[in-house]
Amino acid sequence: MTDAPTTEGDCREDALCALRERFPQTTFLALGQTALWDEPTKATLRRRLDHFWPGAHILAGVHDTDYFAKLHGFHQPGSDAFALVGHDDNKTRALWSAAGEMSQLFGSEDVPTRARLQTEAGVSLKKALAFADDPDALLSELTMAWGWTGILHSGWERQIASEVKLSEILPTLREQIAWATEGSAVGSTLLGWMDDFAAAHPDALLPCLYKYLLPRLYELLLGAPPQNFATTRTTTLLRFNTQTCELPRFWLVQAFLDPATRAQAREAYDLAVEGGEQYTLDQFLPGARPFDLVVPGKGRGTLRVRADGSVWIDTPEPICLPGEKVITSVRQLAERIESALGPDCVLIGKAVALLPMLAAEWVLVFHEGASSYSWRTAKLMGALQRLRICHPELRPILRVRYATWDSLSAVSGVSLTLPPHLCQALGRPTVEADDFAACWQRGREWEQRRLKELSTLRSPNALLSYLEQHRLLTAHTDYATASQALRAQWDKAEALRSEENIISGEVRRLRAESNTLEHAKGDDFRARGSVLDTTALAERTEHFDTPLATNRRQVKRLLLHARQLHRERKAIERAPEAIAARTTLRRIETEAEIAKARLAKNALQTLHGLPHTDYRPSAWWFPQVDPSRAWFNRVADTAALRLEELV
């Protein structure tokens, strides 16, 4: 903490000042799927609140109602239920990670996709992969996100994050933490906390560990236990039963059940998601509402309330709750669900519908760039207002934007070891922390220029000159030598080809002449009335038969000579020296294209990874780099806070 005094009336904190005036009793809700990424970095808000609004409460929650990450077609043989994987545009291109991702310092899930390599840098992946020993492995390397791993559930069945047993995922989680933290002291701390918790709670679930870690990570960042701080899980927060159904958080559910509003609510929702990745309700089975129900032991599925009185949950094995009376209220829905499935089901809005549920009771805290679909929620709320559907007063989202890398200027005497893409951007393997703060933006500019330069290098000679100039591949001389050798062979073969072409032209001329003679011979026969005496035969032999025979002999001789020339030309083209020259050229061109692809990959990772990590840094990076907390304090004190209204 700094020595700055508490400033209850200081409205330099414009966003917090506005919130305190409008919602003086509100609680800030910070939700994340894991405690090992950027979620605990929201301790920056606790630090700001301690100075400006000490009585404000933060509720940090583990968002554990999504399915745990799984990749279609990925199955790991053996007994391990979980696997640690990277993200590329090849083997894991369809990966979406939930609840098990972690990055090394500077790492991010920014995949240098095939499309970007080709369109932004002009890389020919076909050429780069054509002569690779293992094209599949090379493609994964060229498109792999640097410094990021996700944990996959490798079994056949799908599993909700809230039901993942810690004992089953623990070995993979330990492997991931050890990999990400690279043997640092903070890594030992994380592993120690995890092992202590696992030993004390052998039957615990993964979200219980994350909930246990959250206050400890806040304390690690703040230097003291966080005040007015509590933890939760979405399986608790959104539990839906007869005791909770009438809480404000479930107001939107009522709007989709009430006969007086459900048609308008459906129209508003479809307008909000139209053109996006979310489905409109008519793309689901009949009776669909924009909510999912998580049923313990059964999975998660779309909630459908049918006109025949039945309630369906589209879990992997669909669940039907029959009833004669059509459900028209949250109370009736809760009674039906609780009587059939128990009191522990969780009702959660699909992305666009979740935010207005939570905003009815809490101020949601999002990092800049997170939950980028929130504008669709605002569109939903606008449509509901236009359709005159009443709603509770919704709290705005509080967006937190960091200057993570600029804030390294507060750190002195700390040297950072750079990953390959940043080594390329800054031209050195290590850099002082405060120096990195001063030059990281220039590094991005340099890499943007590099991509433009690479995109113009279309010929092998231009690319080789560029690579040699940058001391990345010194094969220009070998390429020129091989080109000259192949040119010499080509010149020899071309001389023979020219002679073949002359012969072909002569053969065509002779055949055309013979064709003319044949036509004339026919005309002559018909002109003589088809009667030929001895004199006529002699004349026809002299004028037609003898020239035709001569032409045939000449054509035959010329074709024999052409075949001989063709054999000689092919022998030259297939000569060992020609094959060796072509092999050398192909090898060097492939090496050059691979080098170009690696340059482009590094440039793309710098261009996209640095801004993303600037906005959403992993919390444990701060104590790993700077145990004095100067970096974290600077990030917290300079963070820009803004309100994003949903209504």
Side-chain angles (χ1 to χ4, degrees), residues 298-333:
K298 302 292 185 180
R300 171 175 171 166
T302 298
L303 174 69
R304 295 192 291 119
V305 180
R306 298 288 305 273
D308 62 4
S310 63
V311 174
W312 287 80
I313 303 99
D314 292 333
T315 45
E317 293 185 8
I319 299 169
C320 177
L321 310 180
E324 296 180 0
K325 185 177 180 181
V326 177
I327 299 294
T328 60
S329 71
V330 287
R331 168 66 58 182
Q332 293 171 351
L333 181 63

Coordinates of all heavy atoms in Angstrom, one line a residue, residues 298-333:
K298 N -25.8 -34.5 -14.4 CA -26.4 -34.7 -15.7 C -25.9 -33.8 -16.7 O -26.1 -34.0 -17.9 CB -27.9 -34.5 -15.6 CG -28.6 -35.4 -14.6 CD -28.6 -36.8 -15.0 CE -29.4 -37.7 -14.1 NZ -29.4 -39.1 -14.5
G299 N -25.2 -32.7 -16.4 CA -24.6 -31.8 -17.3 C -25.4 -30.5 -17.4 O -26.2 -30.1 -16.5
R300 N -25.2 -29.7 -18.5 CA -25.8 -28.4 -18.7 C -26.5 -28.4 -20.1 O -26.0 -29.0 -21.0 CB -24.7 -27.4 -18.7 CG -25.1 -26.0 -19.1 CD -24.0 -25.0 -18.9 NE -24.4 -23.7 -19.5 CZ -23.7 -22.5 -19.3 NH1 -22.7 -22.5 -18.5 NH2 -24.1 -21.4 -19.9
G301 N -27.7 -27.8 -20.1 CA -28.4 -27.8 -21.4 C -29.4 -26.6 -21.4 O -29.8 -26.1 -20.4
T302 N -29.8 -26.3 -22.6 CA -30.8 -25.2 -22.8 C -32.1 -25.6 -22.1 O -32.6 -26.7 -22.2 CB -31.1 -25.1 -24.3 OG1 -29.9 -24.7 -25.0 CG2 -32.1 -24.0 -24.6
L303 N -32.7 -24.6 -21.5 CA -34.0 -24.7 -20.8 C -35.1 -24.4 -21.8 O -35.1 -23.4 -22.5 CB -34.1 -23.7 -19.6 CG -35.4 -23.6 -18.9 CD1 -35.7 -24.9 -18.1 CD2 -35.5 -22.4 -18.0
R304 N -36.0 -25.4 -21.9 CA -37.2 -25.2 -22.8 C -38.5 -25.4 -22.0 O -38.7 -26.4 -21.4 CB -37.1 -26.2 -24.0 CG -35.9 -26.0 -24.9 CD -36.0 -26.8 -26.2 NE -35.9 -28.2 -25.9 CZ -36.8 -29.1 -26.2 NH1 -38.0 -28.7 -26.7 NH2 -36.6 -30.4 -26.0
V305 N -39.3 -24.4 -22.1 CA -40.6 -24.5 -21.5 C -41.7 -24.6 -22.6 O -41.9 -23.6 -23.3 CB -40.9 -23.2 -20.6 CG1 -42.2 -23.3 -19.9 CG2 -39.8 -23.1 -19.6
R306 N -42.3 -25.8 -22.6 CA -43.2 -26.1 -23.8 C -44.6 -25.6 -23.5 O -45.1 -25.5 -22.3 CB -43.2 -27.6 -24.0 CG -41.8 -28.1 -24.5 CD -41.5 -27.7 -25.9 NE -42.5 -28.0 -26.8 CZ -42.6 -29.2 -27.5 NH1 -41.6 -30.1 -27.2 NH2 -43.5 -29.5 -28.3
A307 N -45.4 -25.4 -24.6 CA -46.8 -25.0 -24.4 C -47.7 -26.1 -23.9 O -48.8 -25.9 -23.5 CB -47.3 -24.5 -25.8
D308 N -47.2 -27.4 -24.0 CA -47.9 -28.5 -23.5 C -47.8 -28.7 -22.0 O -48.3 -29.7 -21.4 CB -47.6 -29.8 -24.2 CG -46.1 -30.2 -24.0 OD1 -45.4 -29.5 -23.3 OD2 -45.7 -31.2 -24.7
G309 N -47.0 -27.8 -21.3 CA -46.8 -27.9 -19.9 C -45.5 -28.5 -19.5 O -45.1 -28.5 -18.3
S310 N -44.9 -29.2 -20.4 CA -43.6 -29.9 -20.1 C -42.4 -28.9 -20.0 O -42.5 -27.8 -20.7 CB -43.3 -31.0 -21.1 OG -43.1 -30.4 -22.3
V311 N -41.4 -29.2 -19.2 CA -40.2 -28.5 -19.2 C -39.1 -29.5 -19.6 O -39.0 -30.6 -19.1 CB -39.9 -28.0 -17.8 CG1 -38.5 -27.3 -17.7 CG2 -41.0 -27.0 -17.4
W312 N -38.3 -29.0 -20.5 CA -37.1 -29.8 -21.0 C -35.8 -29.1 -20.8 O -35.7 -27.9 -20.8 CB -37.3 -30.0 -22.6 CG -38.4 -31.0 -23.0 CD1 -39.7 -30.7 -23.1 CD2 -38.2 -32.4 -23.3 NE1 -40.4 -31.8 -23.5 CE2 -39.5 -32.8 -23.6 CE3 -37.1 -33.2 -23.4 CZ2 -39.7 -34.2 -24.0 CZ3 -37.3 -34.5 -23.8 CH2 -38.6 -35.0 -24.1
I313 N -34.8 -30.0 -20.4 CA -33.4 -29.5 -20.3 C -32.6 -30.3 -21.3 O -32.5 -31.5 -21.2 CB -32.9 -29.6 -18.9 CG1 -33.8 -28.9 -17.9 CG2 -31.5 -29.0 -18.8 CD1 -34.8 -29.8 -17.2
D314 N -32.0 -29.6 -22.3 CA -31.3 -30.3 -23.3 C -29.8 -30.6 -22.9 O -28.9 -30.2 -23.5 CB -31.3 -29.5 -24.6 CG -32.7 -29.4 -25.2 OD1 -33.5 -30.3 -25.0 OD2 -33.0 -28.4 -25.9
T315 N -29.7 -31.4 -21.8 CA -28.4 -31.9 -21.4 C -28.0 -33.0 -22.4 O -28.8 -33.4 -23.3 CB -28.6 -32.5 -20.0 OG1 -29.8 -33.3 -19.9 CG2 -28.6 -31.4 -19.0
P316 N -26.8 -33.6 -22.3 CA -26.4 -34.6 -23.3 C -27.4 -35.7 -23.4 O -27.7 -36.2 -24.5 CB -25.1 -35.1 -22.7 CG -24.5 -33.9 -22.0 CD -25.7 -33.2 -21.5
E317 N -28.1 -36.1 -22.3 CA -29.2 -37.0 -22.3 C -30.4 -36.1 -21.9 O -30.6 -35.9 -20.7 CB -29.0 -38.2 -21.4 CG -28.0 -39.1 -21.9 CD -27.9 -40.4 -21.1 OE1 -28.8 -40.6 -20.2 OE2 -26.9 -41.2 -21.2
P318 N -31.2 -35.6 -22.8 CA -32.3 -34.7 -22.5 C -33.2 -35.1 -21.3 O -33.5 -36.3 -21.2 CB -33.1 -34.5 -23.8 CG -32.1 -34.9 -24.9 CD -31.2 -36.0 -24.3
I319 N -33.6 -34.1 -20.5 CA -34.4 -34.4 -19.4 C -35.8 -33.8 -19.6 O -35.9 -32.6 -20.0 CB -33.8 -33.8 -18.1 CG1 -32.4 -34.4 -17.8 CG2 -34.7 -34.0 -16.9 CD1 -31.6 -33.7 -16.8
C320 N -36.8 -34.5 -19.4 CA -38.2 -34.0 -19.5 C -38.9 -34.0 -18.2 O -38.9 -35.0 -17.5 CB -39.0 -34.9 -20.5 SG -40.7 -34.4 -20.7
L321 N -39.4 -32.8 -17.8 CA -40.2 -32.7 -16.6 C -41.6 -32.5 -17.0 O -42.0 -31.4 -17.3 CB -39.7 -31.5 -15.7 CG -38.2 -31.5 -15.5 CD1 -37.8 -30.3 -14.6 CD2 -37.7 -32.8 -14.8
P322 N -42.5 -33.5 -17.0 CA -43.8 -33.4 -17.5 C -44.7 -32.6 -16.5 O -44.4 -32.5 -15.3 CB -44.3 -34.8 -17.7 CG -43.5 -35.6 -16.7 CD -42.1 -34.9 -16.6
G323 N -45.7 -32.0 -17.1 CA -46.7 -31.3 -16.2 C -47.9 -30.9 -17.1 O -47.8 -30.6 -18.3
E324 N -49.0 -30.8 -16.4 CA -50.2 -30.4 -17.1 C -50.4 -28.9 -17.3 O -51.0 -28.4 -18.2 CB -51.5 -31.0 -16.4 CG -51.5 -32.5 -16.4 CD -52.7 -33.0 -15.7 OE1 -53.5 -32.2 -15.2 OE2 -52.9 -34.3 -15.7
K325 N -49.8 -28.1 -16.3 CA -50.0 -26.7 -16.3 C -48.8 -26.0 -16.9 O -47.6 -26.3 -16.6 CB -50.1 -26.2 -14.8 CG -50.4 -24.7 -14.7 CD -50.6 -24.4 -13.2 CE -50.9 -22.9 -13.1 NZ -51.1 -22.5 -11.6
V326 N -49.1 -25.1 -17.8 CA -48.0 -24.3 -18.5 C -47.3 -23.4 -17.5 O -48.0 -22.7 -16.7 CB -48.5 -23.5 -19.7 CG1 -47.4 -22.7 -20.3 CG2 -49.2 -24.4 -20.7
I327 N -46.0 -23.4 -17.5 CA -45.2 -22.6 -16.6 C -45.2 -21.2 -17.0 O -44.9 -20.8 -18.1 CB -43.7 -23.1 -16.5 CG1 -43.6 -24.5 -16.1 CG2 -42.9 -22.2 -15.7 CD1 -44.0 -24.8 -14.7
T328 N -45.7 -20.3 -16.1 CA -45.7 -18.8 -16.4 C -45.0 -18.0 -15.4 O -45.1 -16.7 -15.5 CB -47.2 -18.4 -16.4 OG1 -47.8 -18.6 -15.2 CG2 -48.0 -19.2 -17.5
S329 N -44.3 -18.5 -14.4 CA -43.6 -17.7 -13.5 C -42.3 -18.4 -13.0 O -42.2 -19.7 -13.1 CB -44.5 -17.4 -12.3 OG -44.7 -18.5 -11.5
V330 N -41.4 -17.7 -12.4 CA -40.2 -18.3 -11.9 C -40.5 -19.2 -10.7 O -39.9 -20.2 -10.5 CB -39.2 -17.2 -11.4 CG1 -38.5 -16.6 -12.6 CG2 -39.8 -16.2 -10.5
R331 N -41.5 -18.9 -9.9 CA -41.9 -19.7 -8.8 C -42.4 -21.1 -9.3 O -42.0 -22.1 -8.7 CB -43.0 -19.0 -8.0 CG -43.8 -19.8 -7.0 CD -42.9 -20.3 -5.8 NE -42.3 -19.2 -5.1 CZ -41.5 -19.3 -4.1 NH1 -41.1 -20.5 -3.7 NH2 -40.9 -18.3 -3.5
Q332 N -43.2 -21.1 -10.3 CA -43.7 -22.4 -10.8 C -42.6 -23.2 -11.4 O -42.5 -24.4 -11.3 CB -44.8 -22.1 -11.9 CG -46.1 -21.5 -11.4 CD -47.0 -21.1 -12.5 OE1 -46.6 -21.1 -13.7 NE2 -48.2 -20.7 -12.1
L333 N -41.7 -22.5 -12.1 CA -40.5 -23.2 -12.7 C -39.6 -23.8 -11.6 O -39.2 -24.9 -11.7 CB -39.7 -22.2 -13.6 CG -38.5 -22.7 -14.3 CD1 -38.9 -23.8 -15.3 CD2 -37.7 -21.6 -15.0

